[in-house]
Amino acid sequence: MCEFCGRVSCTLTKEQVLERGNIIEDNASGIMQTIEDEDNFDGFQGNTYSFAGVPCYDSLSALIPDEDEEDPHKYMRYVFDEDEGTGGGWMQEDIDNPLGFQTEQEFLASKERRLNL
Ligand SMILES: [Zn+2]
């Protein structure tokens, strides 16, 4: 049994989660913001994304394993406020089955393949 989520069938480890790295939902549809080091949004660097079927008042980064937590289900993500055009801060999310999500790298690679066709 997983001591973190309490499910008998869960064998998730922090090592698996860290090895896979950033993950992202299957309905991610495109990059909204590319946030560079010098933009200084609470130390966040990377991309935020829009999601199909979700009104885009905010765009969201990929889910980043929370290295400060022992719990492999804990992820952090950065929120960008598209209305205001500014960084909106961090939020923590519990992900039941992170191994079922595509990785951010897989998503970006699939986007690239489509653009190159
Ligand atoms: Zn678990």
Side-chain angles (χ1 to χ4, degrees):
M1 188 185 87
C2 175
E3 63 177 297
F4 299 104
C5 70
R7 274 170 305 158
V8 178
S9 59
C10 180
T11 58
L12 189 69
T13 67
K14 196 74 187 180
E15 289 69 35
Q16 285 176 312
V17 159
L18 291 175
E19 195 179 312
R20 289 195 86 218
N22 296 356
I23 57 173
I24 192 165
E25 289 88 342
D26 287 343
N27 65 339
S29 52
I31 294 174
M32 292 293 288
Q33 304 283 339
T34 302
I35 298 173
E36 306 290 342
D37 207 1
E38 61 265 24
D39 292 333
N40 193 25
F41 286 118
D42 300 340
F44 177 73
Q45 297 169 46
N47 304 317
T48 63
Y49 300 90
S50 60
F51 293 86
V54 182
C56 204
Y57 305 117
D58 295 320
S59 59
L60 304 172
S61 75
L63 292 153
I64 304 165
D66 189 342
E67 297 193 33
D68 295 335
E69 297 269 2
E70 225 183 302
D71 182 343
H73 296 283
K74 297 277 187 220
Y75 281 78
M76 299 293 291
R77 82 185 327 170
Y78 192 75
V79 182
F80 187 89
D81 187 327
E82 296 290 341
D83 272 349
E84 304 286 332
T86 59
W90 292 91
M91 61 192 229
Q92 191 180 53
E93 286 199 34
D94 282 303
I95 306 297
D96 286 347
N97 63 334
L99 301 183
F101 283 54
Q102 65 183 331
T103 67
E104 184 177 26
Q105 279 183 333
E106 287 164 356
F107 172 73
L108 291 173
S110 75
K111 272 277 181 232
E112 214 157 273
R113 268 200 305 278
R114 254 173 275 157
L115 293 175
N116 289 338
L117 286 177

